[in-house]
Amino acid sequence: MVKVSKIFALSSDYRDWLFVPFLIQWIVVNVVLYYPYLRFIFEVGIFQQKANVIFPYTWASALLLFFYALYIFLKRYRLDYVRTVLYSLSMPFVATSLFEIIWQNIGSGIHVGNQSVITEVINFSSIALIVSVFKFWRTKRSFLILTILYLLIWILWLSVGYPQINTSSHILFIVSFSFNVGLKILSFILVAALITPTFASENIVIT
């Protein structure tokens, strides 16, 4: 029989309860205010809606990050099942919106992206979830190097004209596809790196 504490353990650390208001704001934004967008994402995720050629890489990255986060929170940080699942489910939303908020705003002024209030609010709402788990942030040198690389690739994409996958040019499509997929995957790797403890020195038990 599974102990109740394994399912959900009350914590006296205020940082563990930060997830509650952040989760509430996400629900308000994505379920109450802009439910059609969440429904569209869900239908795309179960292949009921057509998506672009980048989606399979996003979907696979999200799935891998979810299972990786399950392992990190459950086995490394020894969290209860409820917090483990909630934290793990939120991480793919963080990574996806991190890419999307940069992609749509870096193209402002050159007619790339959707800089509407709705998309901005939705993306910021999802990115905010990473703040709620700052107790588990591990900003190692590898994370800082990845962050610098991430920013440099965005700058490089912009410096070559910021081509998009809807271009009629085969060469520009390949360039855009490479930048898009590479940065999308790197967004997920960044989030994973941020919550990953140093395996050689940490085996944290958090109640």
Side-chain angles (χ1 to χ4, degrees):
M1 187 173 181
V2 180
K3 293 181 179 180
V4 174
S5 61
K6 289 291 291 182
I7 298 174
F8 179 69
L10 290 173
S11 172
S12 58
D13 190 335
Y14 79 94
R15 294 175 299 176
D16 289 324
W17 295 99
L18 279 179
F19 192 76
V20 176
F22 279 96
L23 179 60
I24 290 174
Q25 67 83 26
W26 188 90
I27 291 174
V28 169
V29 170
N30 293 273
V31 179
V32 178
L33 297 179
Y34 304 122
Y35 174 72
Y37 177 78
L38 183 63
R39 181 178 178 180
F40 170 75
I41 295 299
F42 175 76
E43 290 177 351
V44 169
I46 60 173
F47 305 103
Q48 295 299 310
Q49 288 272 6
K50 193 173 182 180
N52 62 32
V53 294
I54 306 298
F55 177 73
Y57 300 91
T58 306
W59 187 87
S61 298
L63 200 60
L64 286 172
L65 179 57
F66 169 68
F67 284 112
Y68 179 73
L70 281 179
Y71 166 75
I72 290 297
F73 289 122
L74 186 61
K75 297 299 184 180
R76 297 309 307 281
Y77 292 122
R78 307 293 181 86
L79 293 184
D80 55 78
Y81 297 147
V82 171
R83 280 186 290 172
T84 291
V85 172
L86 286 175
Y87 292 164
S88 300
L89 281 173
S90 70
M91 294 301 99
F93 286 99
V94 174
T96 302
S97 287
L98 173 63
F99 173 89
E100 293 297 332
I101 199 73
I102 298 174
W103 174 79
Q104 70 181 29
N105 285 297
I106 201 174
S108 179
I110 55 176
H111 308 293
V112 174
N114 178 14
Q115 294 87 29
S116 69
V117 173
I118 293 176
T119 56
E120 298 284 0
V121 171
I122 289 173
N123 284 319
F124 276 119
S125 172
S126 292
I127 293 172
L129 292 173
I130 197 64
V131 181
S132 66
V133 296
F134 80 93
K135 177 180 179 178
F136 309 101
W137 290 8
R138 299 294 181 266
T139 52
K140 305 173 291 295
R141 179 182 297 178
S142 57
F143 174 78
L144 297 177
I145 293 173
L146 282 172
T147 301
I148 293 172
L149 177 64
Y150 186 66
L151 295 175
L152 287 176
I153 295 175
W154 278 110
I155 293 171
L156 181 59
W157 190 3
L158 189 60
S159 70
V160 298
Y162 205 43
Q164 302 299 311
I165 57 174
N166 57 0
T167 180
S168 58
S169 168
H170 180 65
I171 294 177
L172 289 180
F173 171 82
I174 294 175
V175 172
S176 171
F177 182 85
S178 300
F179 276 113
N180 205 312
V181 171
L183 284 166
K184 182 64 70 67
I185 293 174
L186 192 51
S187 297
F188 286 87
I189 293 175
L190 266 178
V191 173
L194 184 61
I195 62 172
T196 300
T198 304
F199 282 83
S201 61
E202 293 187 53
N203 192 12
I204 304 169
V205 178
I206 300 176
T207 59

